[in-house]
Structure formats: C-alpha cells, structure tokens
C-alpha cells in the first residue's frame, strides 16, 4: 500500500483530501507556503454533490450555520440607484466564506502540517517520490498530490510550464476587505464602466464586507506572488475614477494586507496524473471564479481521489486512472461558464444598457431557478467507497 502521501496546498481541496485519506488509513502531510492556514477569501458555494461530501464529513450543519445569507446581485448607476437585481438564492446549496470552510475542514482533519514551506524538486522512482523542500529536510513519500492552485508548483515540476495549461480569459480581478457601510446588507452590489466592474459583497451573517474589482485586459506580465505589484496594477486601473464609491472601496482594498489579485483563467489538462504524482482542485482543472464551482469541484474531486485510492488499496495506477474517468465529466460541465463574465462586465455602455434591461425581466430569475432545479435533478449520488479503517 502507498501509505505516506504528501499534499501540497492547505486550501479546500488539500484539506478535504487529507481528511478522507486519513479516514481511509493513509498517513498525510500537508505543506503550505503560508505561515498558517489562510483565513481570507470570498464566498464559495457548497452545492449538489459537494453537499453530500460535506454531510459525510459531518460538517454540513456547521456550513449552514456559517452561511453568508446573500440574496443576489444588484447593479447600480453612479448615483447608487439600483437599476436591476438578480436573485441567486438556491435552497439546495449554501454559500460560505472560503476562510470559514477551510477552518471547518481543519477541525475535522488529522494531518501533519509543514507551514512556511514549499516543494522545490520532485524525483520519482518505482518505489516513491523524493521531495526536496524549500525549508524542511528532503523526505520520501509514496505519492504526491498537488492541491496548490492555478499557479501550481507541483504541476510545473511534474507536468511542465504553466503556459501549457492555463488559459487566460481576458480579465483580471481582485478582492479585499471593505467597509460594510458601503454596500447593501445581503447583496452583491456592482457598478460598471465599459470593460470594468467595481463591487461590494456584503454577507448577512458577517460584519466584514469584501470589495471586488475586475477589468478587461490583454495579458499582463507580473509576479503572481508580488502583492505590492498587484495593488499597483489595480490602482492604475481604478484610481482615476471617482464615480460611485470606487474611491472608498479602492482605498479600503489597498490597505488590506490580505489583498488578492489574479488573472481570470482556466486550467485545461488531458491528464491529472504522472506516475506517482497527481493533481486536485484548481491545480488540475481551475474553472475560474466566474464559474462559481471552485469549492464544489474541490470537495467532490478530493472525495473521488481519496476514495479511488482506498478502493484500489493504494494502487496509484488504478486509482489515478479511475479518478480521472469518474470526475472528468463534472469538470467539463463546470468549465463551460457561459455568459457570466459578460453579465458582470459588459464591454461597452450599450452592452451595460442591454444587460440591465434583461436583468430586470422576471425571466432572468425564472431561468436561474429552472437551471438550479435541473442541476439538482441530474446530480447522481456519490459512491460510498468503503468504511473507514479502524
């Protein structure tokens, strides 16, 4: 049995995978670049099969208690007058702040952590993988799983450079803490100028709000770990615009040490495994934030990967191949993100006018409700791979 497994990345996919592997008798280590588990982030949706996974983990009741209670999206003009609203409430799913979900996963996961560290080199042979870390002494593991996001180090080391797999979707985005008084309770409020969006996300159950920025652009060259450079890029795009509440939201965001910036992108791969190394979560299939499916894919994918390893008694060749086969159809569906970006960020003033007019129609909410019901109806139950080992 391949007993010792290194998981690179301590977010939703990595912790969910560690939870299930430990329950099935494997020994896990999670290496995380940050000095502790990251508590920031925006709202994420636990829906469809991910609800079933959370129920089996025993955390779904707590997920519901910590729900954001956001009703939908509101589009406003420069005088803060609501020009359209879209109800996004779905009784079959729960939105929770990413940091809250990570904390819940940590509570139910028994694993070794290596914080303030990352993988530098991976050398695999017939018996395992020799892992060289940035800080800790080198160690051997039977298997390595990359759960380290769209800019995955494990993917680069084991599969090739990032540009082979990441598809840029013409936009960049940022989010950070914001003054809650600037937004309406229980709504995501958005203001558009052509090719740009500024917004505020205000949960009904959290005192802290989130500022959002998104802009259309050609590809930019920057260091994806340099937060100061990220703030400069957002400042250059939005600092000269005094419309609506852009100035106040920008000042709040640029003062936040947990400011987050990235490209809107998708990860497209023909295979998520190479020998004894596999990928899970955004490292394997990032569908982009516009899909709204990141947490769902992470929870279900981690459950599938751990379950297939358990069902195969640790035989990674069989398990990795089966994991890819059973999870790929869901990933392919969720990567079809449809008109979400065009709705949030019309390219022209005319496009914004049409978006607002369409959003005011009752048909928009009816279509959204129908789509959610069809998804729920077409969601099959996940397999119960095996009882946890004593």
């Amino acid at each position: 049995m391949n007993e010792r497994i290194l998981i690179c990345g301590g977010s939703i996919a990595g912790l969910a995978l560690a939870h299930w592997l430990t329950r099935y008798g494997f020994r896990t280590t999670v290496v995380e670049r940050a000095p502790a588990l990251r508590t920031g982030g925006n709202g994420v949706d636990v829906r469809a099969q991910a609800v079933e996974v959370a129920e089996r983990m025993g955390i779904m009741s707590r997920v519901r208690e910590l729900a954001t209670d956001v009703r939908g999206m509101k589009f406003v003009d420069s005088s803060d007058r609501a020009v359209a609203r879209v109800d996004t409430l779905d009784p079959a799913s729960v939105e929770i702040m990413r940091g809250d979900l990570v904390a819940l996963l940590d509570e139910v996961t028994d694993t070794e952590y290596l914080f303030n560290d990352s993988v530098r080199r991976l050398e695999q042979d017939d018996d395992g993988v020799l892992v060289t870390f940035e800080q800790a002494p080198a160690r051997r593991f039977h298997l390595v799983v990359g759960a380290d996001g769209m800019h995955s180090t494990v993917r680069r080391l084991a599969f090739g450079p990032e540009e082979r797999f990441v598809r840029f979707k013409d936009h960049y985005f940022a989010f950070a803490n914001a003054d809650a008084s600037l937004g309406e309770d229980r709504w995501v409020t958005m203001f558009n100028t052509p090719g740009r969006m500024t917004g505020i996300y205000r949960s009904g159950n959290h005192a802290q709000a989130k500022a959002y920025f998104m802009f259309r652009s050609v590809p930019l060259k920057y260091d994806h770990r340099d937060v100061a450079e990220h703030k400069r890029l957002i400042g250059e795009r939005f600092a000269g615009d005094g419309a609506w509440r852009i100035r106040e939201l920008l000042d709040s965001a640029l003062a936040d040490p947990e400011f987050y910036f990235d490209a809107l992108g998708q990860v497209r791969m023909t295979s998520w495994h190479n020998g004894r190394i596999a990928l899970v979560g955004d490292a394997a299939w990032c569908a982009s934030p516009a899909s709204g499916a990141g947490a769902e894919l992470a929870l279900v994918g981690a459950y599938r990967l751990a379950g297939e390893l358990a069902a195969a008694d640790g035989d990674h060749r069989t398990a990795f191949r089966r994991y890819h086969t059973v999870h790929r159809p869901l990933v392919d569906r969720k990567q079809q993100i449809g008109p979400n970006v065009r709705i949030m960020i019309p390219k022209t003033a005319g496009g914004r006018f049409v978006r607002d007019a369409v959003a005011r129609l009752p048909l928009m909410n009816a279509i959204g409700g129908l789509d959610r019901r069809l998804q729920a109806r077409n969601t099959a139950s996940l397999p119960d791979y095996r009882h946890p080992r004593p």
Side-chain angles (χ1 to χ4, degrees), residues 145-173:
V145 180
D148 47 346
M150 187 172 72
H151 303 292
S152 170
T153 297
V154 172
R155 188 185 62 230
R156 175 176 56 80
L157 293 173
F159 295 83
E162 181 171 303
E163 53 267 27
R164 287 176 52 189
F165 309 109
V166 177
R167 305 289 182 263
F168 177 56
K169 293 298 181 180
D170 303 318
H171 293 78
Y172 291 89
F173 70 97

Side-chain angles (χ1 to χ4, degrees), residues 87 183 248 265 325 351:
D87 185 356
E248 297 98 313
T325 299

Side-chain angles (χ1 to χ4, degrees), residues 4-116:
R4 297 188 306 279
I5 302 178
L6 175 68
I7 301 167
C8 303
S11 189
I12 297 170
L15 295 189
L17 180 63
H19 168 89
W20 288 109
L21 287 174
T22 301
R23 284 183 63 171
Y24 292 137
F26 297 91
R27 293 164 53 194
T28 62
T29 298
V30 174
V31 59
E32 167 57 49
R33 182 180 297 275
L37 294 177
R38 299 176 185 179
T39 58
N42 58 340
V44 298
D45 293 314
V46 179
R47 63 160 72 98
Q49 289 180 327
V51 173
E52 189 174 359
V53 173
E55 294 280 12
R56 295 182 184 186
M57 298 176 82
I59 64 172
M60 195 59 211
S61 61
R62 293 282 291 129
V63 169
R64 292 189 175 97
E65 288 175 9
L66 294 170
T68 63
D69 196 30
V70 169
R71 293 182 57 186
M73 296 183 295
K74 179 181 73 169
F75 303 106
V76 299
D77 61 18
S78 58
S79 61
D80 202 36
R81 180 178 64 91
V83 295
R85 293 178 187 260
V86 178
D87 185 356
T88 59
L89 277 177
D90 179 4
S93 70
V94 180
E95 186 177 40
I96 181 174
M97 299 307 291
R98 178 205 160 275
D100 289 342
L101 181 55
V102 167
L104 289 179
L105 293 172
D106 179 47
E107 288 177 11
V108 297
T109 300
D110 182 14
T111 188
E112 174 192 17
Y113 284 110
L114 298 177
F115 288 114
N116 264 329

